[in-house]
Structures are given as C-alpha cells and as structure tokens.
Amino acid sequence: MDNRKRLVLKTIVDHYIKTGQPVSSQTLLEDYGLTVSSATIRNDMKYLEQKGLIQKAYSSAGRVPTELGYRFFVDWLVELSELNRRDQHAIIESYRFQRQEIEELLRQTAFLLANMSGYAGFVLSPRLEETQLESIVFVKLDVENVLVVIVSELGIIEHCMIRSPLSPEELQEIGTLLNGRLRGHRLDEVRDEALRFAEGDGWYDSTLRNAFVLLKETLERRLQRRLHVEGVFNLLPRLLGEGLLLEDALEVFTLLGDADRSSLYLESLSSPQVKVNIGSENEASELHPCSLVLMGYGFSGVLGLLGPVRMDYSKAFSITSYIGNRLRTILTLSHRANILTLTREASGQ
Amino acid sequence: MDNRKRLVLKTIVDHYIKTGQPVSSQTLLEDYGLTVSSATIRNDMKYLEQKGLIQKAYSSAGRVPTELGYRFFVDWLVELSELNRRDQHAIIESYRFQRQEIEELLRQTAFLLANMSGYAGFVLSPRLEETQLESIVFVKLDVENVLVVIVSELGIIEHCMIRSPLSPEELQEIGTLLNGRLRGHRLDEVRDEALRFAEGDGWYDSTLRNAFVLLKETLERRLQRRLHVEGVFNLLPRLLGEGLLLEDALEVFTLLGDADRSSLYLESLSSPQVKVNIGSENEASELHPCSLVLMGYGFSGVLGLLGPVRMDYSKAFSITSYIGNRLRTILTLSHRANILTLTREASGQ
DNA sequence: ATTAGCAGTCGTTTGTGGAGAGTGCTAATT
DNA sequence: AATTAGCACTCTCCACAAACGACTGCTAAT
C-alpha cells in the first residue's frame, strides 16, 4: 500500500473519529488539503474498501472505517503522544490527597480514567492472594470484643470483629505466634492455614477456633477481585449515538456489573503495555460494540477505558498509559515503604 | 365527587400504571366491567378532567392521570397491602449473611430495594453524629500510617487511615485517655471536643494535640453522609419509555451522583412513615419526571425508591415499608447486632 | 497514473390520503 | 336529572410517492 493510500485511510479514520459522519472524497479534499483530485481519492478508497479497511453504508454513501481499518490505524497510523501537561498535572494533583486505602485508591483511579477520557474507566483490583501477609493485629476493644486487622504487603487492610474473653496478653501472644508463622506468606496460603488452624483440635479453645473460621471467611471475601467502574454515563450516550439499541448498551453495563465474569476476562488481557481490543476482537459478545484500551499496572491488576469502537484511540492511549504508570508507581512505592517498616517493627503487636 | 367518579379515576390510574397506554371510555367498560355506558363514563371523565385529575394528549386521545390525579389516587384510592410472603422471605434470606460493616449493609439494602421493585433503590446513611461513641482505637500499621477505628453505639466499625509519626506506645496512651474522656458522647460532640482540644494551647503537649487533630479529621471524614444508589439501569429504560429525553434522564442520575445535594434533599423528607413525592412535587427540578417513595428507618437515615411518575405505587409502598422496617429492626435490635450475627455465623459453619 | 464529467444509486425529507381510535355534543330515554 | 345512543369531528399513525441531494463508479480524456 503506497503512502497516499495510507494517508487517505488515516485521514478517513481521523475525520470519522472526530465527526462520526461518513467521509466523502470531497470532504477529504476540502478539509485536509490533499493535493490530488477527488476522483483519485475515490480510486484509493475503492482500493481500501477492497482490502476490507473501509466500507460504505450504502452504494452512494461516504466511507466509514471497518474494525480492520481501525486495527490498521491503531497498529500503523495513529500518532502517539504524551498526555498534555495540564492533564498530567491534574492527575498528580488528584492523587495528592489520596488516603492509603487501596480500594479507595483504585476507585479514584477509575474515576480519573473516566473523567479524563469521557469514556468509562475501570480498574480491576490486584490479585491480593499473590501478595504477602505483613501482619495480623488483634486489638482488645472492650471486655468481650476483639478487633482483627489484616495488613498485606500492599498496605491493604481488612478488619473484622470477634467476641473473645481472652486477655490482652493472651491476644498479644497469639498475635506474635501467628505473625511469626504466617508473615511473608501469600494471602491465599494464609487463608488455607487459617482453615487448618480452625480444624485442628486441642490447640486452642473454641472461641479462638471461631476466630480462625472468621479470619478465613474474611480473607476469602477479601481475596475476591473487585472491579471498579466509573463513567458509565459517559459511555451510554456515546453508544446510543453510534446507533446502538438501548437494550444492547445496557448489556454492556450488565457485563461490567458482573464482576466475576468481567474480572476473568480482563485478567486474561493483562500486560504491562497498553493494548487495545477493537469491537468484535473482544471475546465477550456484549462488548462487540465497544473498544477496550487497557494495561496492567502490576500485581496482576488491570485498568483501562471502555469506549465505543469509534473512539479517540490516541487520547485513550495517552490517558491509560499515564494513569496506569502513575498507579503502578504509587503501589510500588507503598510496597517498598511497607517492607522497610517490617524490619523496624519486628516487635510490634 | 361521587363513588362512581372515584372508581373511574381509580380504574384509569390502575390501568394506565399497568399498561402505559391512554385509557379510553371503551377500555374502561370492556376490561373492568363497569355497569354504565361509555357515554356516562365519558361524562365522568370530562368532570375529572375539569378537576385537573386526568388529561388527554390531544383532542381525541384517551385519558392519562395528571400528577394531581396520582396524588388523589395515592391519598385516597390506592389499595395498600402487605408485601407477599415470597418476597418477605427473600428479603429476610438476603439479610442472613449480612456483614459487619454498616455501609455494606446499607448498600445491600439499596440493592434489595432496586431488585424487588424494578426501580432505583437508595439508602441514605444514618446521621452517625447523633449516635454515641463506644470506643476509639489507634493501631500503628507502619512508619507513617495509623489505622483509626471508631466504634459507635450502633456497633459500627468505621476505619480510616491517617498519617502520623506517633509511636505505638504514644498511640496506646492517647487511646486510653480519649476513651476515658469521650466514651458515651455523641460523635459530633466528640468531633467538636477534639477540635477544641487540638486548638487549645498550653494544656497538652504536641503529641496529644496531634492525636486530637487526627481524631477530628477522621470523624469529619466519616460523618459525611453517604448515599447508596442501586438499580439505575432499572430506572433508565423506564424513564426513556415514558418519552423522557436521554439527556434529562441522565440529569436524574447526575443528581443522584451528587451525594451532598441529594442527601440534603432526602434528609428533609425523612419521616418514619412511607411518604411519596410525585413528579414536580420534588423540589429538585431534575426529579420532576420521577416519583420518590421513601421512609426514615431511624437514626435520621432515609431509604426508598425512585421510579417514573407512572409507578406502581402500591408495590412501591409495600416494598419500601417492609425493607425499611426490616433495616430499622436490624439496626436497633441490639446495638451489636452485627457482631452477634458474625459470631453465630462463624460457629454455625 | 490522474482527472473531469456524468450517469446512477440510495437515503432523507416532504407531502398526501385514508384508516382508526376516541371524544364531545345532541337529542332521546328512563 | 341522570343516563344513553348515535353521530360528527379531531387528531394520530401509517403507507406510499415524489422531489432532493450527497456521493459513488465509470468512462474517456489528459
């Protein structure tokens, strides 16, 4: 394919992404100053159509990119650029007052993705089962209630309440024992270990056994991956604007609401680089009217954007990439911080 | 207004709620077996129209209730009934595995409301500032992060991460001091007290003052009311089905997303009984295409349903009422309901 | 290889004419 | 005085047709 044909394709995609209107040879000439006649462009268009890169809705309509056309565009023609400074700054700013809680951090990241892009943003939480236990803390609240706090490598916490008559000293002892035994283990191992403790006989009184059951349950619940989605009301009008039926658009959101299914799917696409799935390249048939721009941010976590197939891929790439790297940095830093902490607080409860 | 006219109005509203089609005198006769002629019904309809209770879209169209008509219907004509046993059972079942965190409980309640009704369900969290402090716990997690756990009268655990260089020993000391001093006070008093201490000079050393600042910050953050909304994708197609523009429908969701504004509005409607706001009875203009069915469930919390004006008010009442009372019971039954539940769960399995 | 010119295609818009649903009115009936 | 039958009237909805216009593909010339 010669350069002019590539340029014609690129211009068609650019223009269609911008306006949503089928592109005619005339428009191409007028708006983009090509130095050939409209007839020549029409010939090129015919060639591109034969190659399956563009198509027309009917015989005398302007051209529209096919999914293959978008794919070619994304792979060879799109101009990648860094996110502009203002947006970069806004993102950094919005992370400034970030609290340490990871789910809150992820939720906010999804929010950022959505707001910066105008599409839907999502963040699939990291696989916590792959992270290591930092410590388990028992805190006596009053005569009968004990608070259990679980801290992972990522600084993530989970807590639950149990009733136990054990004294603070006994609790401390148990805490030391558990921490000595489980610290540094993967959280899924910790969960299994908790189950084993709960089922082992003779070692502990029934109250404590209950505590282990509870610990196991809490971990089990917490290890489920969570999918944070924001900006669905950005995406909806765009999908409807593409001529999608409301019914089918809602299917998209139903899928997003099914965290189990979506997680599994997104997980399979994880990669450190920004990737894109265009339309029916998505396995999930509900997503055929959509494109997915995503990247892994570490710890098997995935984030990205969900937009219509007619999506500003260039912008989507730069936003996803910038925010993804930002989040990766934040998580990695807290990771390091916690490892440092570990050595200094060996005696802590 | 004589009985037949009331019956005509009730039947029109019933039928319109069910079908969404304008109701003709013919239909009324055929489907509901009135014992008078269609001409008589037409006369009654004309009377009702003059009273502003029904209207027609154009001169030869069937009748449709006006908002005033719905209001009359709701106040005088609607048949109230208990929620059917199956739904009652489903609701009780779904609360069985309720978790310890109140926000989770509220979220699930909103979910229930939405799913049972087919509309959008919402739960505005209680005014925690009106509940009493049970205890405050500080747990040092690593060099800079401190977990603050606040246990209120409701047995609710609120947790929050803050940053502080204080040592575990200092934290423990401060915790003991604070608990002795503030336990039993309302949470807003606790917050104010904390602020006063933090700003007072000379009395305390900087460590203690820091603690008060931390406490105030945590409380301030946690006392913000939260609005849980579920089932927006139930509501959306219904609103569009009523002929609402997508744009205006999205306005509704934008309002719901603005927790501050919605909370304030919903709060003002709080009452122990089920109430309804029909269409433009809602102050918020975004909600003019919607009806709001709501009730207070205690502690100044509010929950309810948001549906189109053409809403099954009878069903909405029974669902809201049942779930609202259920939640009230759960929250007030014992002030440590959640702990008890978890313990039972843990030992039961 | 490119271009001008033109015929042909097809969606969009606009207009028209029933068919049908439902009302309001009038005069007759109970 | 309330109710009813009958009928004229109103307005929407649908189908069909005609005019319009945007854009292409093809052909012949450059």
Side-chain angles (χ1 to χ4, degrees), chain B residues 35-225:
Chain B
T35 56
V36 290
S37 77
S38 68
T40 307
I41 295 178
R42 279 201 293 280
N43 287 334
D44 288 351
M45 283 170 141
K46 202 172 181 200
Y47 172 88
L48 293 170
E49 187 166 28
Q50 274 169 353
K51 292 288 178 189
L53 297 167
I54 57 179
Q55 70 190 120
K56 9 174 222 204
Y58 50 92
S59 83
S60 73
R63 298 313 209 293
V64 159
T66 61
E67 289 188 0
L68 198 63
Y70 282 117
R71 169 52 64 193
F72 192 94
F73 174 81
V74 161
D75 287 344
W76 304 102
L77 304 175
V78 68
E79 296 158 19
L80 295 178
S81 61
E82 250 208 337
L83 192 62
N84 69 66
R85 294 285 163 189
R86 274 187 51 197
D87 287 349
Q88 287 190 18
H89 197 257
I91 289 168
I92 293 175
E93 264 311 298
S94 80
Y95 275 128
R96 171 153 300 175
F97 300 107
Q98 133 222 347
R99 299 296 168 173
Q100 78 222 51
E101 276 223 55
I102 187 168
E103 296 300 334
E104 185 62 21
L105 174 66
L106 301 184
R107 201 200 56 77
Q108 193 192 336
T109 302
F111 193 75
L112 264 179
L113 283 163
N115 272 25
M116 296 260 115
S117 67
Y119 303 116
F122 64 87
V123 180
L124 178 63
S125 64
R127 297 185 62 153
L128 291 180
E129 59 265 48
E130 290 175 357
T131 65
Q132 290 176 17
L133 178 74
E134 187 118 319
S135 63
I136 301 176
V137 183
F138 295 91
V139 184
K140 184 91 174 170
L141 290 184
D142 59 45
V143 172
E144 54 178 7
N145 292 304
V146 172
L147 173 73
V148 182
V149 182
I150 299 170
V151 186
S152 95
E153 184 188 9
L154 286 173
I156 297 144
I157 300 173
E158 302 293 350
H159 69 263
C160 179
M161 291 278 272
I162 56 178
R163 287 165 185 254
S164 160
L166 292 176
S167 75
E169 291 74 24
E170 286 169 314
L171 286 172
Q172 167 111 22
E173 187 188 332
I174 291 160
T176 310
L177 203 113
L178 280 184
N179 280 306
R181 181 135 193 167
L182 297 177
R183 180 171 286 164
H185 285 62
R186 281 167 49 124
L187 291 188
D188 52 355
E189 291 170 1
V190 173
R191 180 200 53 199
D192 296 343
E193 196 79 355
L195 180 62
R196 219 165 298 134
F197 285 147
E199 285 174 347
D201 23 39
W203 281 59
Y204 305 99
D205 63 10
S206 69
T207 306
L208 191 48
R209 183 170 303 155
N210 276 344
F212 285 126
V213 172
L214 303 187
L215 181 57
K216 193 211 96 196
E217 274 179 11
T218 305
L219 275 170
E220 215 143 63
R221 201 168 116 92
R222 282 298 171 171
L223 289 186
Q224 279 174 15
R225 303 188 79 168

Side-chain angles (χ1 to χ4, degrees), chain A residues 22-218:
Chain A
V23 189
S24 72
S25 51
Q26 205 61 239
T27 323
L28 232 44
L29 211 57
E30 285 167 7
D31 294 7
Y32 297 88
L34 298 205
T35 55
V36 290
S37 76
S38 68
T40 307
I41 296 178
R42 279 202 292 281
N43 286 333
D44 288 350
M45 282 170 140
K46 201 172 182 200
Y47 172 87
L48 293 170
E49 186 167 28
Q50 274 170 353
K51 292 288 179 189
L53 296 168
I54 57 178
Q55 71 190 121
K56 9 174 220 203
Y58 50 92
S59 83
S60 72
R63 298 314 210 291
V64 159
T66 62
E67 289 188 1
L68 198 62
Y70 282 116
R71 170 50 67 193
F72 191 94
F73 175 81
V74 161
D75 287 343
W76 303 102
L77 304 175
V78 68
E79 297 157 18
L80 294 179
S81 61
E82 250 208 338
L83 192 62
N84 68 67
R85 294 285 162 189
R86 275 187 52 197
D87 286 350
Q88 287 190 19
H89 197 256
I91 290 168
I92 293 175
E93 264 311 297
S94 81
Y95 278 128
R96 171 155 297 173
F97 299 106
Q98 180 49 51
R99 302 289 167 166
Q100 199 61 20
E101 238 192 296
I102 188 166
E103 296 300 334
E104 185 61 22
L105 175 67
L106 300 184
R107 201 200 56 73
Q108 194 195 332
T109 302
F111 192 75
L112 264 179
L113 283 163
N115 271 25
M116 295 259 114
S117 68
Y119 304 116
F122 64 86
V123 179
L124 178 63
S125 64
R127 298 186 61 153
L128 292 181
E129 60 265 48
E130 290 176 357
T131 66
Q132 292 176 14
L133 178 73
E134 178 150 324
S135 64
I136 298 180
V137 184
F138 292 89
V139 184
K140 188 90 175 168
L141 287 184
D142 56 40
V143 177
E144 54 180 4
N145 292 303
V146 174
L147 174 73
V148 184
V149 182
I150 302 165
V151 186
S152 102
E153 184 185 10
L154 283 175
I156 298 141
I157 57 153
E158 179 62 280
H159 62 235
C160 57
M161 289 269 270
I162 58 176
R163 298 180 82 196
S164 165
L166 293 176
S167 71
E169 292 73 24
E170 289 169 310
L171 284 173
Q172 169 112 24
E173 189 186 330
I174 292 164
T176 309
L177 184 82
L178 274 184
N179 279 310
R181 183 151 186 155
L182 297 177
R183 176 173 290 165
H185 284 62
R186 284 164 50 121
L187 288 188
D188 50 357
E189 291 170 3
V190 173
R191 176 199 56 200
D192 297 341
E193 196 74 1
L195 181 62
R196 225 164 293 136
F197 273 125
E199 285 173 347
D201 16 46
W203 280 45
Y204 303 102
D205 66 7
S206 68
T207 311
L208 199 52
R209 184 168 303 150
N210 281 345
F212 284 121
V213 173
L214 201 57
L215 188 60
K216 191 210 98 200
E217 279 180 3
T218 304

